[in-house]
Amino acid sequence: MTLIVETGSIVPNANSYVTDAEYVAYAAARGKTIGATAAAREIELTKAVDYLEYYRDEYKGLKVTRDQPLQWPRYSVWVDSFQLNSNEIPKELKKSQMEAAILEAGGVSLAPSGTIENVQSQSLGSLSISYFSGGTWKTVQHKSLDQFLEILLINQGDLRSHRV
């Protein structure tokens, strides 16, 4: 497999927002261990993009074209009170991909990582309230990645929870 980098010009078959060289430099600057070979790093970056694509319905703005292979570039996106160009790949998205790839390289799953049990009922003396029967939520939270990704989402800081 080869990385095909989306530059903002709707690159056919794009599967990454960053190059291998960008990823290697980013990880080295932070003292992070990543795949030793280009093939291993491509897998890490591809899994990271898969994770980012999961947010498709939560990104600000709209895709530039219906048929573009990835969710970015987008138009009508505002970050820090500035409108992004519709051919721009935000630096926050690139950092998010690289942080997700670093997590993957370290063996951290990008799948749901926690479970929260829902309250089924509560009682106070003779008063009792039942809400529903059962269920759990699984939550993915990776602060190193979320710090960059949140600014690109419609509901910033409200990262995914999954009903199981």
Side-chain angles (χ1 to χ4, degrees):
M1 181 186 83
T2 302
L3 287 179
I4 303 170
V5 178
E6 177 57 71
T7 61
S9 61
I10 319 295
V11 176
N13 302 313
N15 60 6
S16 182
Y17 295 110
V18 298
T19 65
D20 181 60
E22 287 174 303
Y23 178 43
V24 169
Y26 183 87
R30 288 155 181 79
K32 300 292 184 174
T33 302
I34 58 174
T37 66
R41 293 188 300 269
E42 286 176 10
I43 291 169
E44 293 161 10
L45 288 169
T46 299
K47 287 182 176 182
V49 162
D50 291 346
Y51 176 80
L52 295 176
E53 287 293 293
Y54 182 71
Y55 287 94
R56 68 183 302 124
D57 296 330
E58 297 180 39
Y59 286 123
K60 293 177 180 177
L62 301 164
K63 289 172 59 171
V64 174
T65 70
R66 181 182 75 183
D67 298 325
Q68 67 191 64
L70 299 174
Q71 291 301 306
W72 293 83
R74 298 174 82 80
Y75 66 92
S76 296
V77 176
W78 290 78
V79 173
D80 296 332
S81 301
F82 296 94
Q83 187 170 17
L84 301 181
N85 293 324
S86 62
N87 64 348
E88 184 175 350
I89 303 301
K91 66 183 180 301
E92 295 86 358
L93 185 68
K94 290 181 168 198
K95 288 179 180 180
S96 294
Q97 182 184 1
M98 292 184 284
E99 286 292 337
I102 288 168
L103 290 169
E104 183 65 38
V108 176
S109 174
L110 295 174
S113 60
T115 302
I116 301 168
E117 295 292 329
N118 292 316
V119 176
Q120 294 179 30
S121 64
Q122 292 179 316
S123 297
L124 178 61
S126 62
L127 178 63
S128 178
I129 299 174
S130 294
Y131 301 105
F132 56 88
S133 59
T136 61
W137 291 89
K138 296 226 177 200
T139 304
V140 176
Q141 288 190 322
H142 303 296
K143 294 294 184 186
S144 61
L145 152 61
D146 296 346
Q147 67 179 330
F148 301 116
L149 186 57
E150 285 178 349
I151 198 164
L152 301 174
L153 302 178
I154 296 167
N155 294 317
Q156 295 176 8
D158 186 22
L159 294 179
R160 295 234 179 197
S161 292
H162 309 284
R163 179 90 175 165
V164 179

